[in-house]
C-alpha cells in the first residue's frame, strides 16, 4: 500500500515564492531569517523559520498553522487545508515553467525562420 504524497503549495519557482514568503511575513508582522532560505523545500521548513521569529504568545495560538498555510497559499490558490508540514513548496508539475520553455522555443524558431526567409529573398 502506497502512502499519498503531500499536496504541493503550488509555487512555480518564478518569483511567486518571494511573494508567498512576503505574505507570511506580512500576516505575522515579522521578518524571517533568510540565512537558511535555500534549504526551505517544504511548508514545514518555512513554518520552522517562522516559529523561530515569533513571540511566545503568538506561538501558543491554536490557529497558528491555519493562518500560516492561508498566507503561504494566497499566491497559488491551493486549499490551505490540503497543506501539511511535508508539502513541497514548488509545484511538482512545473507546468508554467514548461510552458515558458515551449514559448521561448517557438519564438526562437519564428526568429530563425524569419532570418532564413529574408536571406532567401535577398539572394
Amino acid at each position: 500500500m502506497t502512502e499519498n504524497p503531500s499536496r504541493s503549495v503550488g509555487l512555480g519557482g518564478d518569483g511567486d515564492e518571494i511573494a508567498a514568503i512576503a505574505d507570511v511575513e506580512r500576516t505575522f508582522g515579522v521578518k524571517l531569517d533568510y540565512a537558511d532560505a535555500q534549504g526551505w523545500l517544504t511548508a514545514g521548513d518555512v513554518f520552522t523559520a517562522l516559529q523561530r521569529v515569533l513571540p511566545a504568545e503568538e506561538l501558543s495560538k491554536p490557529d497558528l498553522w491555519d493562518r500560516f498555510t492561508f498566507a503561504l497559499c494566497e499566491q497559488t490558490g491551493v486549499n490551505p487545508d490540503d497543506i501539511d508540514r511535508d508539502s513541497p513548496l514548488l509545484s511538482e508539475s512545473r507546468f508554467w515553467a514548461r510552458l515558458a520553455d515551449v514559448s521561448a522555443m517557438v519564438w526562437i524558431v519564428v526568429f530563425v525562420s524569419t532570418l532564413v526567409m529574408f536571406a532567401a529573398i535577398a539572394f
Side-chain angles (χ1 to χ4, degrees):
M1 179 157 81
T2 60
E3 190 175 314
N4 288 338
S6 297
R7 171 81 191 262
S8 169
V9 175
L11 298 170
D14 57 356
D16 60 351
E17 68 278 5
I18 295 167
I21 297 302
D23 289 341
V24 169
E25 291 175 328
R26 193 171 27 263
T27 296
F28 292 96
V30 297
K31 195 73 167 161
L32 298 179
D33 179 3
Y34 301 136
D36 297 325
Q38 65 185 2
W40 296 347
L41 304 176
T42 66
D45 294 335
V46 179
F47 188 67
T48 298
L50 174 65
Q51 289 175 305
R52 287 186 190 123
V53 297
L54 285 176
E57 64 273 3
E58 191 70 33
L59 286 169
S60 65
K61 291 185 178 177
D63 66 342
L64 180 61
W65 177 258
D66 293 335
R67 291 183 320 160
F68 165 74
T69 57
F70 182 82
L72 189 63
C73 294
E74 200 168 340
Q75 294 294 317
T76 63
V78 169
N79 183 349
D81 294 334
D82 293 341
I83 301 303
D84 60 37
R85 289 187 71 89
D86 294 328
S87 293
L89 295 174
L90 298 178
S91 173
E92 290 91 12
S93 73
R94 307 279 298 164
F95 171 76
W96 295 112
R98 288 187 188 129
L99 181 62
D101 290 344
V102 169
S103 178
M105 182 59 75
V106 167
W107 280 111
I108 290 169
V109 168
V110 167
F111 179 73
V112 169
S113 298
T114 303
L115 285 177
V116 169
M117 185 175 66
F118 281 126
I121 292 172
F123 291 111

